Amino acid sequence: MSERQGLWMYCIIETRGEMKLDCLGIHGTSPVTTVIGGEFAAVVSEEPMKKYPLVRDTLIAHQNVNETVMKFQELLPVKFCTMADHRDRIIEEVLIPKREEFRENLSRIHSKEEYGLRVRWKDLDQVFREIGEQDEKIREKKERLSRMSEEKRRNELIDVGHLVQEAVSTKNKQMARRLMEALSPLASETKENNVLGDAMILNAAFLVSHEKRLAFDQAVNSLEDQYGASLQLKYVGPVPPFNFIEIVIKWRENPPLTRPPTPSTMLRTGSLETPSKGRGQKGTKNVPTG
């Protein structure tokens, strides 16, 4: 028995008429087209209606379609794994009733692009060593430890570990604040996402206007020159504005499927590597470029 088919939604754009994009859907087989309703269109591909796991390939394929669209048009990303069972439903429950929301969001991101910056310590052990040497409280504690018996030392070591952890956290926050202070004035909006582990200092997204893009690039390069010996800066973009816009669809009844949580931490700020180019492009028509 064949699987029931539905429409996977990638993003919302201002309509340019019927289109077939130069990329394929999440399984690499379905053409990516548009469903038009009034002044807006949903970019979709026909896919099996089922619950999709949050796997890397699917996430990258979803992002790849959005990055293809953003090469020629501004877009509003739709929440990952949003599916409709019929194109009429997209028109009647999304494109027509939500047009004011789409206008406002497109106005918000007009002539702007998202960039991401992730910053990590190159040598975390060196950071721990410096803290151990420079933090007076920790240094005194360690000196007392050296004079203790083995049994007493075990409990005290835990306290020292907590002190070091706090010191690393403080050092990371201070550095993150320094980096954000250098870049934030050049961005229309910023967003700081969660960091993972002691080595990561910053995981931030910036919405930057076209006229400030060069200055923003230069500011990032300047930070790399200043801190590159100890910090690794990963600068990505432009990418779809996942960190600033997410269109969430609430169907009137009988939702097509149970959707998992948005994989925001993966889709945002370049958490995914750049998708491979030219995936299955044979036999499709180029998207408009004007």
Side-chain angles (χ1 to χ4, degrees), residues 14 31 33 42 47 86 165 181 211 235 272:
E14 288 185 323
T33 59
E47 310 292 349
H86 196 276
Q165 192 75 36
E181 286 174 353
E211 59 264 31
Y235 177 43
L272 294 173

PDB file of all heavy atoms in Angstrom, residues 14 31 33 42 47 86 165 181 211 235 272:
ATOM      1  N   GLU A  14       6.650  36.274  -1.567  1.00  0.00           N
ATOM      2  CA  GLU A  14       5.715  37.031  -2.400  1.00  0.00           C
ATOM      3  C   GLU A  14       5.631  36.317  -3.739  1.00  0.00           C
ATOM      4  O   GLU A  14       6.651  35.908  -4.298  1.00  0.00           O
ATOM      5  CB  GLU A  14       6.214  38.470  -2.580  1.00  0.00           C
ATOM      6  CG  GLU A  14       6.071  39.294  -1.317  1.00  0.00           C
ATOM      7  CD  GLU A  14       6.459  40.741  -1.549  1.00  0.00           C
ATOM      8  OE1 GLU A  14       7.416  40.985  -2.320  1.00  0.00           O
ATOM      9  OE2 GLU A  14       5.819  41.632  -0.961  1.00  0.00           O
ATOM     10  N   PRO A  31      10.048  17.417  -7.135  1.00  0.00           N
ATOM     11  CA  PRO A  31      10.296  18.806  -7.536  1.00  0.00           C
ATOM     12  C   PRO A  31       9.757  19.782  -6.492  1.00  0.00           C
ATOM     13  O   PRO A  31       8.797  19.472  -5.777  1.00  0.00           O
ATOM     14  CB  PRO A  31       9.534  18.928  -8.859  1.00  0.00           C
ATOM     15  CG  PRO A  31       8.513  17.849  -8.823  1.00  0.00           C
ATOM     16  CD  PRO A  31       9.098  16.726  -8.026  1.00  0.00           C
ATOM     17  N   THR A  33       7.981  23.264  -5.901  1.00  0.00           N
ATOM     18  CA  THR A  33       7.117  24.171  -6.659  1.00  0.00           C
ATOM     19  C   THR A  33       6.469  25.172  -5.698  1.00  0.00           C
ATOM     20  O   THR A  33       6.847  25.255  -4.531  1.00  0.00           O
ATOM     21  CB  THR A  33       6.026  23.374  -7.403  1.00  0.00           C
ATOM     22  OG1 THR A  33       5.248  22.647  -6.434  1.00  0.00           O
ATOM     23  CG2 THR A  33       6.644  22.387  -8.383  1.00  0.00           C
ATOM     24  N   ALA A  42       3.434  29.620  -1.148  1.00  0.00           N
ATOM     25  CA  ALA A  42       4.174  28.693  -0.295  1.00  0.00           C
ATOM     26  C   ALA A  42       5.074  27.843  -1.184  1.00  0.00           C
ATOM     27  O   ALA A  42       4.636  27.349  -2.227  1.00  0.00           O
ATOM     28  CB  ALA A  42       3.212  27.802   0.483  1.00  0.00           C
ATOM     29  N   GLU A  47       5.558  15.070  -0.587  1.00  0.00           N
ATOM     30  CA  GLU A  47       6.300  14.065   0.195  1.00  0.00           C
ATOM     31  C   GLU A  47       5.309  13.172   0.936  1.00  0.00           C
ATOM     32  O   GLU A  47       4.161  13.559   1.164  1.00  0.00           O
ATOM     33  CB  GLU A  47       7.215  14.758   1.216  1.00  0.00           C
ATOM     34  CG  GLU A  47       8.104  15.854   0.663  1.00  0.00           C
ATOM     35  CD  GLU A  47       9.198  15.356  -0.265  1.00  0.00           C
ATOM     36  OE1 GLU A  47       9.403  14.134  -0.316  1.00  0.00           O
ATOM     37  OE2 GLU A  47       9.826  16.185  -0.948  1.00  0.00           O
ATOM     38  N   HIS A  86      -3.394  19.050   1.498  1.00  0.00           N
ATOM     39  CA  HIS A  86      -3.926  19.482   0.202  1.00  0.00           C
ATOM     40  C   HIS A  86      -3.527  20.936  -0.047  1.00  0.00           C
ATOM     41  O   HIS A  86      -3.460  21.729   0.885  1.00  0.00           O
ATOM     42  CB  HIS A  86      -5.455  19.350   0.186  1.00  0.00           C
ATOM     43  CG  HIS A  86      -6.044  19.396  -1.181  1.00  0.00           C
ATOM     44  ND1 HIS A  86      -6.322  20.583  -1.822  1.00  0.00           N
ATOM     45  CD2 HIS A  86      -6.388  18.409  -2.040  1.00  0.00           C
ATOM     46  CE1 HIS A  86      -6.820  20.325  -3.022  1.00  0.00           C
ATOM     47  NE2 HIS A  86      -6.876  19.017  -3.178  1.00  0.00           N
ATOM     48  N   GLN A 165      35.052  25.994  37.534  1.00  0.00           N
ATOM     49  CA  GLN A 165      33.905  26.017  36.616  1.00  0.00           C
ATOM     50  C   GLN A 165      33.271  27.408  36.584  1.00  0.00           C
ATOM     51  O   GLN A 165      32.948  27.940  35.510  1.00  0.00           O
ATOM     52  CB  GLN A 165      32.874  24.992  37.078  1.00  0.00           C
ATOM     53  CG  GLN A 165      31.782  24.705  36.069  1.00  0.00           C
ATOM     54  CD  GLN A 165      32.269  23.836  34.932  1.00  0.00           C
ATOM     55  OE1 GLN A 165      33.082  22.954  35.155  1.00  0.00           O
ATOM     56  NE2 GLN A 165      31.815  24.110  33.737  1.00  0.00           N
ATOM     57  N   GLU A 181      29.486  43.438  21.877  1.00  0.00           N
ATOM     58  CA  GLU A 181      29.581  44.905  21.877  1.00  0.00           C
ATOM     59  C   GLU A 181      30.242  45.423  20.606  1.00  0.00           C
ATOM     60  O   GLU A 181      29.953  46.529  20.142  1.00  0.00           O
ATOM     61  CB  GLU A 181      30.356  45.373  23.111  1.00  0.00           C
ATOM     62  CG  GLU A 181      29.544  45.266  24.403  1.00  0.00           C
ATOM     63  CD  GLU A 181      30.350  45.599  25.638  1.00  0.00           C
ATOM     64  OE1 GLU A 181      31.582  45.790  25.528  1.00  0.00           O
ATOM     65  OE2 GLU A 181      29.751  45.648  26.734  1.00  0.00           O
ATOM     66  N   GLU A 211      23.448  47.521   3.402  1.00  0.00           N
ATOM     67  CA  GLU A 211      24.419  48.619   3.407  1.00  0.00           C
ATOM     68  C   GLU A 211      25.468  48.485   4.519  1.00  0.00           C
ATOM     69  O   GLU A 211      26.528  49.098   4.453  1.00  0.00           O
ATOM     70  CB  GLU A 211      23.711  49.984   3.518  1.00  0.00           C
ATOM     71  CG  GLU A 211      22.856  50.166   4.736  1.00  0.00           C
ATOM     72  CD  GLU A 211      21.388  49.855   4.446  1.00  0.00           C
ATOM     73  OE1 GLU A 211      21.109  49.008   3.594  1.00  0.00           O
ATOM     74  OE2 GLU A 211      20.530  50.469   5.106  1.00  0.00           O
ATOM     75  N   TYR A 235      32.269  31.952  11.102  1.00  0.00           N
ATOM     76  CA  TYR A 235      31.361  33.006  10.609  1.00  0.00           C
ATOM     77  C   TYR A 235      30.648  32.464   9.380  1.00  0.00           C
ATOM     78  O   TYR A 235      31.304  32.046   8.411  1.00  0.00           O
ATOM     79  CB  TYR A 235      32.220  34.219  10.272  1.00  0.00           C
ATOM     80  CG  TYR A 235      31.521  35.409   9.691  1.00  0.00           C
ATOM     81  CD1 TYR A 235      30.317  35.865  10.194  1.00  0.00           C
ATOM     82  CD2 TYR A 235      32.105  36.120   8.639  1.00  0.00           C
ATOM     83  CE1 TYR A 235      29.701  36.985   9.655  1.00  0.00           C
ATOM     84  CE2 TYR A 235      31.507  37.242   8.101  1.00  0.00           C
ATOM     85  CZ  TYR A 235      30.298  37.674   8.612  1.00  0.00           C
ATOM     86  OH  TYR A 235      29.697  38.783   8.081  1.00  0.00           O
ATOM     87  N   LEU A 272      24.203  23.832  10.953  1.00  0.00           N
ATOM     88  CA  LEU A 272      24.381  22.844   9.914  1.00  0.00           C
ATOM     89  C   LEU A 272      25.470  23.337   8.982  1.00  0.00           C
ATOM     90  O   LEU A 272      25.577  24.506   8.702  1.00  0.00           O
ATOM     91  CB  LEU A 272      23.083  22.670   9.128  1.00  0.00           C
ATOM     92  CG  LEU A 272      21.912  22.085   9.907  1.00  0.00           C
ATOM     93  CD1 LEU A 272      20.670  22.127   9.052  1.00  0.00           C
ATOM     94  CD2 LEU A 272      22.222  20.665  10.311  1.00  0.00           C
TER      95      LEU A 272
END
